[in-house]
Amino acid sequence: MSTGIETAGVPEAAIPELVIISGMSGAGRSTAAKCLEDLGWFVVDNLPPALIPTMVELGARSQGNVARIAVVVDVRGRRFFDNLRESLADLEAKSVTRRIVFLESSDDALVRRFESVRRPHPLQGDGRIVDGIDAERELLRELRGDADLVIDTSSLNVHELRAKMDAQFAGEEEPELRATVMSFGFKYGLPVDADLVVDMRFLPNPHWVPELRQYTGLNEEVAAYVFNQPGAKEFLDRYAELLRLVQAGYRREGKRYVTIAVGCTGGKHRSVAMSEKLAARLVSEGVETVVVHRDMGRE
């Protein structure tokens, strides 16, 4: 299939991979971009969206010297931002492999970060920092919905964000699909970067079993208690079957990352045990999988 890019004499295999980094100001876009740069990507910060196809074309003409391009797009170039959707459509029409990484964070975390560096939000104008954050969320809403990978940095430090980027992009060969299975506690809120959410609160809570309360779902006795409950094993089997159907659809649509959030009340027992089993199923089916226990240890 022809890419449609004007690169006379350049083989299709030479068309570079493209990652677009965007998201909330203060959420870690610069750190994410620096990580890709350290991994050998050619990184362009604040490139006007209308020039992205031109950048890809120049990379294609480099005879393989620029095989992977990362572009940071943010509200600093807001007068160009309306052109982004047109550029994305142009890339899709030309069969360019592109991915969108969106950096997300809570309002509280963003306010703390702006206050710590004593800088205004780029969209706050004469208002407050939260006014700028609200305006930016609205501006980026559709792009966030189109993102292939959403990373919530609310509770991450720089090193943890770099580790997440490394986990997604450091491999020599790109897998068909990467999955993150995340346990969480509903009382601490839904993970904002989840693609799929399931609820384990239909199972009895080991918290109310005195000899199990102090342990987590990583403990063999707790896991055995959870999976001996009616419906637990059946849920695992049926949900794994559903995920096989979803995986096939994601692959057809070119989506390479999925975050599956598994919740219970506190994120300590049921969700942890189910996340471990679910991740093991995915790995056995050839899906590269990372397990994260977001709220374990918070109690």
Side-chain angles (χ1 to χ4, degrees):
M1 177 185 295
S2 172
T3 62
I5 293 179
E6 299 300 328
T7 52
V10 177
E12 184 171 336
I15 304 302
E17 293 182 63
L18 174 67
V19 166
I20 297 172
I21 300 173
S22 191
M24 299 298 294
S25 299
R29 293 185 310 247
S30 297
T31 298
K34 178 61 177 174
C35 182
L36 289 185
E37 188 173 50
D38 291 343
L39 292 173
W41 289 68
F42 185 85
V43 178
V44 184
D45 191 13
N46 201 25
L47 183 72
L51 296 181
I52 293 175
T54 302
M55 191 72 236
V56 173
E57 180 180 336
L58 292 174
R61 293 181 179 277
S62 71
Q63 299 181 339
N65 292 321
V66 181
R68 299 182 297 177
I69 297 173
V71 175
V72 181
V73 177
D74 55 56
V75 294
R76 287 176 296 169
R78 54 191 177 276
R79 63 194 179 108
F80 301 104
F81 205 82
D82 291 340
N83 295 327
L84 179 58
R85 185 161 296 280
E86 182 179 342
S87 292
L88 293 178
D90 185 34
L91 293 169
E92 184 175 355
K94 295 171 179 176
S95 302
V96 175
T97 299
R98 61 90 176 149
R99 288 165 284 170
I100 299 174
V101 177
F102 192 96
L103 280 299
E104 174 67 274
S105 197
S106 68
D107 287 3
D108 289 344
L110 293 175
V111 170
R112 286 196 303 270
R113 291 168 190 173
F114 277 105
E115 289 181 341
S116 69
V117 296
R118 299 183 180 181
R119 292 176 56 192
H121 187 282
L123 293 185
Q124 76 179 75
D126 295 329
R128 302 173 300 161
I129 292 175
V130 291
D131 296 326
I133 292 172
D134 288 343
E136 186 175 36
R137 284 201 192 282
E138 184 60 32
L139 181 64
L140 297 177
R141 188 178 306 279
E142 288 191 23
L143 182 62
R144 188 192 188 283
D146 289 337
D148 299 283
L149 175 64
V150 177
I151 300 178
D152 179 13
T153 68
S154 302
S155 59
L156 301 181
N157 60 36
V158 171
H159 304 294
E160 290 168 332
L161 174 54
R162 289 185 65 93
K164 279 184 172 286
M165 292 294 293
D166 283 342
Q168 299 294 345
F169 292 99
E172 288 298 321
E173 294 188 10
E174 190 70 28
E176 286 191 332
L177 184 68
R178 281 192 172 107
T180 297
V181 179
M182 177 188 298
S183 69
F184 74 96
F186 278 96
K187 71 179 183 180
Y188 300 115
L190 289 170
V192 298
D193 50 350
D195 296 296
L196 303 169
V197 178
V198 292
D199 185 356
M200 294 297 102
R201 291 176 296 184
F202 72 92
L203 298 172
N205 193 347
H207 175 81
W208 302 114
V209 180
E211 58 268 29
L212 299 179
R213 180 177 301 174
Q214 64 179 313
Y215 300 110
T216 73
L218 298 178
N219 176 271
E220 291 184 6
E221 287 79 8
V222 172
Y225 175 86
V226 169
F227 282 96
N228 282 333
Q229 302 304 317
K233 293 178 181 177
E234 183 180 6
F235 172 85
L236 176 62
D237 291 339
R238 292 194 177 187
Y239 195 64
E241 183 178 352
L242 175 63
L243 286 179
R244 283 193 288 273
L245 179 65
V246 172
Q247 290 165 37
Y250 279 164
R251 290 185 175 111
R252 286 193 300 269
E253 292 300 312
K255 182 175 174 62
R256 300 190 183 189
Y257 311 100
V258 59
T259 297
I260 304 162
V262 182
C264 63
T265 303
K268 180 179 179 180
H269 296 111
R270 294 164 290 181
S271 62
V272 172
M274 186 61 71
S275 292
E276 290 288 328
K277 291 287 189 181
L278 186 59
R281 285 286 184 93
L282 292 172
V283 170
S284 70
E285 294 174 5
V287 179
E288 188 172 317
T289 307
V290 175
V291 185
V292 176
H293 300 302
R294 190 191 74 174
D295 298 323
M296 192 172 68
R298 293 186 66 168
E299 292 186 343

